[in-house]
Amino acid sequence: MFPETAQCLKAAAPLFSQTVLLKDLSRLSTHGGGSHLQARRHLSISRCLTTKVRPVRTPRERVEIPGLEAVTYGEKMHYVPGLSKPFHPQWERSYKDPGHYRSPPAHEMPLFKDRSCFVFNQRTSALEGVLQALWLTKTKLIPSLPPQLLSLSENPANQIPDQDERVQNAIKHARFWDTTEERPGKERYSNTMMVNLLHLCATLQSSHPAIGRRIQAEKCSLATTWKRGEDLFQIRGQNGLLHTCMDPLPEVSGKQEVSDTADHVLETFYPVSPTINLQKVNVYKEEINCSGFRDDYPYPHAHTLFFLEGADANCKLRPDQFRAKMLMFTFGNALVRAQKLYGPQRVLDRPVTVQAVGTNGRIFQFMVFQLNTTDLSGDDGIKNQVWLDEDVELYDFAKVRPLIKRKQVKVPAGLAGYKPEVFSKFLSLYLHGAV
Amino acid sequence: MMALSCLTRALRSMTLSQPALLSSQGVAQTKLAPHVTGVVLNQCRGFLTTASLKQNKTQWKLREKYTIKPIGMKKTGGRDYTGKVRTHGIGGGHKQKYRMIDFQRLRYEPTKVDQPFDEKVVEVRYDPCRSANIAMVAGGSRMRWIIATENMQPGDVIKTSAVIGRMAVSANEGDAYPLGALPVGSLVNNLEIQPGKGSEYIRAAGTSGVLLRKVNGTAIIQLPSKQQVQVLETCMVTVGRVSNIDHNKRIIGKAGRNRWLGIRPSSGLWQRKGGWAGRKIKPLPPMKVYVNLPSISAS
């Protein structure tokens, strides 16, 4: 909105009705630069439109003196030089209209606090990636999956009949057959592949009845708080796909290993502070601890979280940042459970274990997180543990058309380079706790 | 909506027999003063219709909060706020996004004022808006873009300090110090003329100034144009040459590359060369002093 037009229109106030003028001025000024993309007919009173815009000085502050009331020209209905400008209080609707609601500024909100809080949400891209997430969650990283998990899938009783063939069919369905177009897009095939693999694992329910004590849930909101040093941290967001179970997962590492983590020193990354890239808020609910379910939910224990890289189209995370996001949300789910069961700020006798699988349709990241302590304020003491298997490829290529260079087929069409051990890891994570 | 109501009011006034008022606003107001304000009045001024008026307002430059996200830019084509060409030879070219560069190197975080701080270089990349490369640095809880120096690599740690000690600091390339803390003869760039204002000099690719001497509270620097400048010694400056040192050795190669850069061809009109043409050999201009030195008054 041109300031000059605004001034002219304000001066010509008697020509138009007052309320229309103020409403339009305020509405047009809040639009800012939004609606100015197209050329608009500018209908105004005749005066030059291309003059330089003078900077608007803030109007003189109005001082109310109780004994002396200013004589205004409001009653005269027209401007009189010498009399002061009448003051009209901002009109407010007497009823609540959700279509025209302006939120108050941050410091007037009821939940405003002086102490700021750092929030990690689904779109946060941590600069230091997994290192930053490890520091924030006070965790020790073990770069491979625990061996007792891997041995689960080697047992022939735990394998699906025709496992390799069925998995390859599942991949082909997700990558080739699931569309009427030439090839399905990445979001679609990664989602379909996840669903297909889970379905394959669930076919073992006939031989493993404990699988029936689990349920899937999507888009449940997670919120939890913890203190680290002098800063307050929160995780808030919606979990993508969550498997919950009636019974908690057994702990992965024994008491000896847990007490050995006390000697581990967390890696810092000076000069970058661990709060970098986290959203700093002053309006938040203190001590919020919400798993997304009510307390009487029959499947309260989080078993596995599934993350898809293409879930949020606006947010593209690098592999390191994606793993950090997996770690933070797994930690969040474990922390919510622990705080509900045992209360805040203590070392847990029975560690809480949560698993996570992240994929982009071809490359998988497997994670097992064990929460040993909720006492996260200091840097010393028992740490949590995470076993992370990063960047395992389920297959090399899934090409619709073969890659031909110089009349030689480099990569044939169809599925190429399938690796069966990756699905056995997936299956062992799935069967953990049900065997 | 507002425009539409103006239009309908104007058109309604045209249909009525009363002539439209073209005199000054004061006459209109005095004439219509007895009317009640709530009534929509018949008189309305003649209206102008002009399209594309938003073009002369640079709305994209109005953002106040700093961000590292690139901002979409609108090209002006050499036109000023009146819409006429003010600078010839500008127009077209590849679309560019503006990255907000923080030229004030000594910007403390809100909680840690007056403490020298380190920053880590995260990324060094090409900037379409300038000849030098830019570097994303992260320090504390914030990230910002700065002009990269010659040998800056991702992973370097650069220091910024405002402390002037008695001994000169042995500065590494990329660090920022006040002029009073640097040894004489060091190559510097991103020079501030007034302390705290932000650097305005020596920012182009491959340029560097030389700290010539330090004279009681001020320092004299030679700019890349050999002009000498005297500034306060508390002005911040970064050490080293600006990145992209081979920028002046590049060959454009074809007219099309100039057009990609947004440079339109110059006028083909042959003009008789007068006194303005040709190489000039002049003595250096006197040293420019940006310090308010106390004047010596004869007592």
Side-chain angles (χ1 to χ4, degrees):
Chain A
M1 178 89 192
F2 291 128
E4 290 169 331
T5 321
Q7 286 155 24
C8 287
L9 288 170
K10 272 188 191 144
L15 283 176
F16 313 125
S17 67
Q18 193 82 344
T19 48
V20 165
L21 183 68
L22 280 177
K23 175 187 85 176
D24 285 337
L25 277 180
S26 59
R27 195 199 63 219
L28 284 171
S29 57
T30 47
H31 276 178
S35 56
H36 303 321
L37 296 172
Q38 299 148 15
R40 285 178 62 192
R41 294 279 144 192
H42 184 79
L43 309 169
S44 75
I45 322 157
S46 45
R47 47 146 190 85
C48 182
L49 294 159
T50 52
T51 49
K52 194 172 235 180
V53 173
R54 305 283 161 187
V56 174
R57 299 221 181 98
T58 49
R60 199 185 293 167
E61 201 187 299
R62 217 189 160 82
V63 177
E64 301 281 345
I65 306 169
L68 296 169
E69 272 146 19
V71 180
T72 67
Y73 57 79
E75 285 171 2
K76 286 188 180 283
M77 302 294 188
H78 65 94
Y79 173 71
V80 171
L83 296 187
S84 69
K85 196 170 169 183
F87 170 70
H88 300 287
Q90 186 77 8
W91 175 79
E92 276 167 17
R93 233 172 282 268
S94 51
Y95 56 92
K96 185 181 154 192
D97 183 5
H100 298 92
Y101 170 68
R102 298 207 70 173
S103 54
H107 53 266
E108 284 171 28
M109 294 255 200
L111 289 176
F112 177 78
K113 299 182 180 51
D114 287 322
R115 187 182 182 191
S116 55
C117 173
F118 296 98
V119 174
F120 190 100
N121 52 33
Q122 286 275 359
R123 290 196 179 179
T124 308
S125 165
L127 179 71
E128 294 286 325
V130 177
L131 283 176
Q132 189 175 349
L134 290 175
W135 191 93
L136 286 174
T137 57
K138 200 174 166 189
T139 311
K140 179 180 171 186
L141 174 72
I142 299 152
S144 61
L145 284 180
Q148 66 259 42
L149 264 195
L150 297 171
S151 58
L152 273 181
S153 59
E154 280 155 28
N155 187 358
N158 293 345
Q159 286 173 7
I160 306 167
D162 295 328
Q163 183 171 306
D164 286 345
E165 195 192 317
R166 290 180 78 176
V167 172
Q168 284 179 321
N169 277 345
I171 301 171
K172 284 177 193 171
H173 169 250
R175 284 305 296 260
F176 306 129
W177 307 331
D178 191 29
T179 178
T180 52
E181 295 162 0
E182 203 180 308
R183 57 171 67 82
K186 191 169 186 179
E187 297 91 36
R188 201 186 160 100
Y189 75 64
S190 52
N191 199 27
T192 326
M193 175 153 345
M194 188 67 83
V195 166
N196 288 350
L197 295 177
L198 282 171
H199 177 83
L200 272 181
C201 297
T203 53
L204 280 175
Q205 189 174 340
S206 46
S207 49
H208 300 79
I211 295 177
R213 294 167 65 82
R214 294 187 197 167
I215 197 171
Q216 278 187 23
E218 275 192 62
K219 285 196 178 175
C220 28
S221 310
L222 174 72
T224 176
T225 323
W226 76 100
K227 280 198 190 80
R228 190 95 171 79
E230 289 162 6
D231 305 314
L232 201 58
F233 293 96
Q234 277 194 4
I235 291 188
R236 306 184 85 110
Q238 284 188 337
N239 289 316
L241 183 64
L242 174 63
H243 264 212
T244 44
C245 189
M246 282 185 182
D247 326 304
L249 271 173
E251 57 188 54
V252 178
S253 73
K255 293 251 184 267
Q256 182 55 38
E257 286 180 35
V258 167
S259 47
D260 283 344
T261 57
D263 306 325
H264 174 74
V265 174
L266 290 171
E267 216 176 302
T268 50
F269 22 86
Y270 181 77
V272 169
S273 117
T275 55
I276 201 168
N277 283 350
L278 296 181
Q279 185 188 11
K280 191 168 170 182
V281 290
N282 281 80
V283 177
Y284 57 93
K285 259 192 197 167
E286 250 185 49
E287 305 296 337
I288 191 170
N289 207 43
C290 163
S291 66
F293 302 102
R294 282 196 228 155
D295 288 331
D296 55 352
Y297 187 57
Y299 307 85
H301 299 96
H303 184 274
T304 320
L305 280 154
F306 294 94
F307 292 90
L308 294 173
E309 263 183 41
D312 195 349
N314 297 335
C315 181
K316 279 179 220 163
L317 295 174
R318 293 199 297 277
D320 207 24
Q321 272 77 31
F322 181 63
R323 273 175 244 130
K325 176 175 122 172
M326 277 172 66
L327 179 56
M328 293 300 290
F329 276 90
T330 325
F331 165 79
N333 276 298
L335 190 68
V336 166
R337 196 79 224 121
Q339 282 182 344
K340 282 215 167 120
L341 285 177
Y342 306 114
Q345 298 283 323
R346 41 176 288 186
V347 181
L348 306 175
D349 315 315
R350 266 193 230 152
V352 175
T353 314
V354 183
Q355 296 171 154
V357 175
T359 179
N360 74 343
R362 185 175 79 94
I363 302 179
F364 280 78
Q365 339 268 352
F366 298 112
M367 179 185 292
V368 181
F369 183 87
Q370 180 170 313
L371 187 75
N372 297 323
T373 170
T374 47
D375 179 20
L376 302 162
S377 35
D379 274 344
D380 48 352
I382 293 184
K383 319 254 179 329
N384 308 316
Q385 288 164 299
V386 69
W387 290 262
L388 178 60
D389 202 0
E390 44 187 55
D391 287 341
V392 279
E393 299 169 354
L394 182 56
Y395 52 90
D396 283 332
F397 296 99
K399 284 199 141 341
V400 171
R401 311 192 72 196
L403 179 69
I404 298 176
K405 291 268 185 196
R406 295 195 184 183
K407 296 190 186 170
Q408 282 178 350
V409 177
K410 298 285 177 196
V411 179
L415 192 64
Y418 169 67
K419 295 179 179 63
E421 58 268 10
V422 180
F423 182 73
S424 28
K425 282 184 198 170
F426 188 92
L427 188 60
S428 47
L429 277 189
Y430 188 87
L431 290 174
H432 186 213
V435 171
Chain B
M1 177 55 203
M2 179 75 181
L4 192 57
S5 57
C6 278
L7 175 61
T8 48
R9 206 173 288 119
L11 290 172
R12 206 181 305 133
S13 72
M14 300 253 159
T15 57
L16 295 172
S17 53
Q18 293 168 0
L21 275 178
L22 293 170
S23 49
S24 65
Q25 281 183 344
V27 174
Q29 282 174 357
T30 49
K31 218 176 154 184
L32 302 168
H35 289 258
V36 184
T37 43
V39 175
V40 174
L41 298 160
N42 293 330
Q43 265 95 7
C44 183
R45 305 194 166 280
F47 55 90
L48 293 175
T49 63
T50 36
S52 313
L53 274 189
K54 300 298 176 198
Q55 288 292 97
N56 73 348
K57 299 285 183 251
T58 45
Q59 311 266 2
W60 67 271
K61 284 189 191 172
L62 294 179
R63 190 189 167 110
E64 283 160 6
K65 186 163 178 212
Y66 185 82
T67 177
I68 52 171
K69 196 175 77 114
I71 302 176
M73 236 167 66
K74 277 209 164 65
K75 290 185 188 262
T76 60
R79 271 86 179 164
D80 63 3
Y81 66 90
T82 58
K84 294 186 176 173
V85 171
R86 193 185 266 208
T87 310
H88 291 278
I90 299 181
H94 199 283
K95 267 196 179 170
Q96 296 173 347
K97 284 204 180 176
Y98 174 66
R99 284 148 184 94
M100 297 177 80
I101 311 279
D102 194 2
F103 289 111
Q104 190 179 343
R105 188 66 189 267
L106 186 72
R107 197 185 291 262
Y108 296 111
E109 274 190 280
T111 46
K112 298 177 212 164
V113 185
D114 286 337
Q115 294 163 30
F117 55 94
D118 288 342
E119 278 167 319
K120 182 174 148 187
V121 175
V122 173
E123 187 197 356
V124 177
R125 61 157 288 159
Y126 171 82
D127 189 12
C129 305
R130 64 199 75 250
S131 54
N133 291 336
I134 51 172
M136 167 126 77
V137 299
S141 323
R142 61 147 186 220
M143 292 172 60
R144 54 187 184 151
W145 290 107
I146 60 167
I147 303 272
T149 57
E150 192 182 346
N151 295 322
M152 228 183 227
Q153 300 296 327
D156 292 351
V157 175
I158 53 181
K159 196 171 157 178
T160 313
S161 162
V163 172
I164 306 179
R166 275 192 43 209
M167 289 244 305
V169 179
S170 73
N172 300 322
E173 194 198 304
D175 294 346
Y177 290 103
L179 282 165
L182 289 175
V184 167
S186 43
L187 292 178
V188 297
N189 61 69
N190 285 68
L191 173 67
E192 266 185 353
I193 291 294
Q194 287 162 16
K197 196 178 180 195
S199 60
E200 287 168 346
Y201 290 74
I202 323 178
R203 295 176 353 190
T207 50
S208 58
V210 180
L211 181 56
L212 292 177
R213 50 184 212 274
K214 293 192 261 190
V215 173
N216 64 346
T218 64
I220 294 172
I221 294 132
Q222 179 179 281
L223 301 181
S225 59
K226 313 281 191 317
Q227 155 87 308
Q228 294 185 358
V229 153
Q230 184 172 22
V231 291
L232 283 173
E233 66 170 7
T234 49
C235 293
M236 291 298 291
V237 87
T238 53
V239 179
R241 283 178 75 182
V242 183
S243 54
N244 203 7
I245 47 176
D246 293 328
H247 177 75
N248 57 350
K249 298 192 189 78
R250 65 170 180 171
I251 302 171
I252 301 286
K254 57 179 191 177
R257 189 161 281 120
N258 253 342
R259 297 305 298 269
W260 300 341
L261 299 171
I263 302 169
R264 277 176 58 217
S266 47
S267 151
L269 182 67
W270 179 85
Q271 308 194 8
R272 159 98 334 200
K273 294 196 205 290
W276 52 269
R279 185 179 171 179
K280 308 277 182 299
I281 298 175
K282 294 190 295 191
L284 271 185
M287 183 169 75
K288 188 98 177 84
V289 176
Y290 287 101
V291 178
N292 294 330
L293 293 169
S295 58
I296 305 163
S297 58
S299 54

